[in-house]
Amino acid sequence: MIGRGIVRRSRDEIAVMRRAGRVVAEMHERTRAAIRPGVTTADLDRIGRDVIEARGATSNFLGYHGYPAVICASPDEVVVHGIPGARVLDEGDIVSIDCGAIVDGWHADAAYTAGVGTISAEAQRLIDVTDRSLAAAIERMVEGNRLGDVGHAVQTVVEAEGLHVVDGYTGHGIGRAMHEDPTVPNVGWPGRGLKLRVGNVLAIEPMVAVGTPDTDVLDDDWTVVTLDGSWAAHSEHTVAITDDGPEVLTLP
Ligand code: MF3
Ligand code: CO
């Protein structure tokens, strides 16, 4: 709507989102510790369910448009939204793990990409660049900046390394629902777009592929893969703008 900015949350609301973020961070820690050759993506989903249950939280993924799990597990050529199942992770693979949780009605959402055992230098570079692009975007989460500054930060890091920002998928506002306005593109023009204010909370999530920005969706209607089969990485945090600058809510 013209003239309206991004919704601003109170300190109390952000405090509850921080609690949801801590649950997601624990899902990250526990799944990360279990990633090794021979584990299945369903094993990792089980761990996610255990954390959510142990913390008295609920899943925002399970049942979302019929989604059947509490995490997304996206190996190698899978960009995002891989459904956990019987796929076995092998030495040298990479896997993106996306987790979310609801506490007292407030949502958090975050993802990381990890190697399985020893991985190639090129795979490690893909993960590192994706993480660095997210870190650069988070730094731009300061009152007075604009949404275009955030996307531009991602794009600049990724393109400088000759990698591709995946086309057609974005981050999002987050709060009472997992996906709220605005969409948060991983590309942008500096100084353009909605103005960022204290109290804004965004899920920023660069998706980066080695060979192409183009994707396809498999017949399960969820699994997003690169069109050329090249590997992709995904990194995401739920980030609030505070008086003191960015606060990542999805860290331990
Ligand atoms: N967490 C994803 C996102 O970052 C959405 C997952 S869709 C689901 O937007 F169905 F798996 F929940
Ligand atoms: Co998200």
Side-chain angles (χ1 to χ4, degrees):
M1 263 175 286
I2 290 168
R4 288 202 54 195
I6 304 167
V7 61
R8 300 174 73 180
R9 309 299 185 185
S10 70
R11 283 167 190 275
D12 287 350
E13 290 169 335
I14 289 174
V16 186
M17 292 188 73
R18 188 181 294 119
R19 287 167 52 215
R22 297 288 184 270
V23 175
V24 172
E26 189 176 343
M27 293 168 80
H28 280 197
E29 288 182 328
R30 294 270 313 277
T31 53
R32 195 187 273 278
I35 291 173
R36 64 175 64 87
V39 79
T40 69
T41 52
D43 295 333
L44 302 176
D45 187 64
R46 179 78 252 165
I47 292 168
R49 281 175 201 254
D50 289 346
V51 172
I52 284 177
E53 196 191 299
R55 297 296 161 219
T58 53
S59 175
N60 38 13
F61 286 23
L62 186 67
Y64 179 83
H65 295 280
Y67 189 75
V70 306
I71 71 168
C72 301
S74 305
D76 299 348
E77 80 290 352
V78 182
V79 181
V80 286
H81 303 168
I83 300 174
R87 183 159 171 174
V88 176
L89 299 178
D90 291 323
E91 179 94 25
D93 285 342
I94 63 172
V95 63
S96 305
I97 303 295
D98 194 343
C99 302
I102 310 170
V103 169
D104 290 345
W106 292 88
H107 291 244
D109 178 16
Y112 66 92
T113 302
V116 182
T118 304
I119 63 174
S120 71
E122 178 62 7
Q124 189 62 56
R125 189 175 77 95
L126 171 63
I127 294 172
D128 291 345
V129 170
T130 306
D131 288 347
R132 267 206 291 127
S133 74
L134 175 58
I138 291 169
E139 276 181 29
R140 307 306 296 161
M141 288 284 285
V142 172
E143 162 114 6
N145 279 350
R146 288 178 182 271
L147 205 50
D149 295 314
V150 173
H152 182 73
V154 172
Q155 180 177 15
T156 301
V157 169
V158 171
E159 292 179 353
E161 297 290 339
L163 299 174
H164 302 273
V165 172
V166 170
D167 212 2
Y169 294 88
T170 67
H172 47 94
I174 182 167
R176 291 266 188 205
M178 176 163 59
H179 292 145
E180 298 187 356
D181 286 340
T183 61
V184 179
N186 293 313
V187 297
W189 292 270
R192 301 286 289 273
L194 291 168
K195 194 168 260 186
L196 302 179
R197 308 290 305 276
V198 167
N200 294 160
V201 184
L202 302 177
I204 305 171
E205 48 182 314
M207 288 150 272
V208 179
V210 172
T212 175
D214 298 324
T215 58
D216 198 1
V217 179
L218 299 187
D219 286 338
D220 63 16
D221 285 338
W222 281 105
T223 310
V224 178
V225 295
T226 59
L227 200 57
D228 65 354
S230 68
W231 287 13
H234 178 209
S235 189
E236 175 179 22
H237 274 304
T238 296
V239 184
I241 301 177
T242 76
D243 290 315
D244 304 321
E247 181 187 346
V248 178
L249 301 179
T250 39
L251 282 174

